[in-house]
Amino acid sequence: MDCPTCRSLFALCLLLPIAMWTTESARSEASLAIRGYDPVAYFTIGRPTPGRSDLQYLWDEHVFRFATPEHREIFKLDPTRYAPQFANFCAMALTRGELVEADPMNWLIS
């Protein structure tokens, strides 16, 4: 393997499976946001509404679920408006220096 091209191809063949595994691993580690509740429903329906597992969208390392396809499209247009603040952690717990997953039943739109 004295040819530079052969060495490069060999290195690529070794690294490709690692890159693919890393991508798959990152996908499987994305956490479920708001315990699967629809983030747009808080604004449109005005109450916690479970999302469907077949209506998902990956954003900011979280999987968001939606009750309707329309809600998913609304979220895609402006995710920062509908995603929970404080990275899906309880705001009160954060004030005490604790990381506690937010409860989707305790919410406020201000």
Side-chain angles (χ1 to χ4, degrees), residues 26-27 29-33 57-64:
R27 260 191 235 131
E29 291 177 15
S31 62
L32 186 60
Y57 182 66
L58 179 63
W59 181 77
D60 195 29
E61 299 180 11
H62 288 84
V63 174
F64 289 86

Side-chain angles (χ1 to χ4, degrees), residues 28-74:
S28 66
E29 291 177 15
S31 62
L32 186 60
I34 324 172
R35 296 185 190 165
Y37 282 79
D38 181 339
V40 177
Y42 289 97
F43 292 83
T44 59
I45 299 173
R47 67 176 183 270
T49 305
R52 296 175 18 196
S53 61
D54 63 323
L55 291 174
Q56 298 187 149
Y57 182 66
L58 179 63
W59 181 77
D60 195 29
E61 299 180 11
H62 288 84
V63 174
F64 289 86
R65 290 186 177 170
F66 303 91
T68 68
E70 293 81 13
H71 284 188
R72 182 174 55 188
E73 294 309 311
I74 290 169

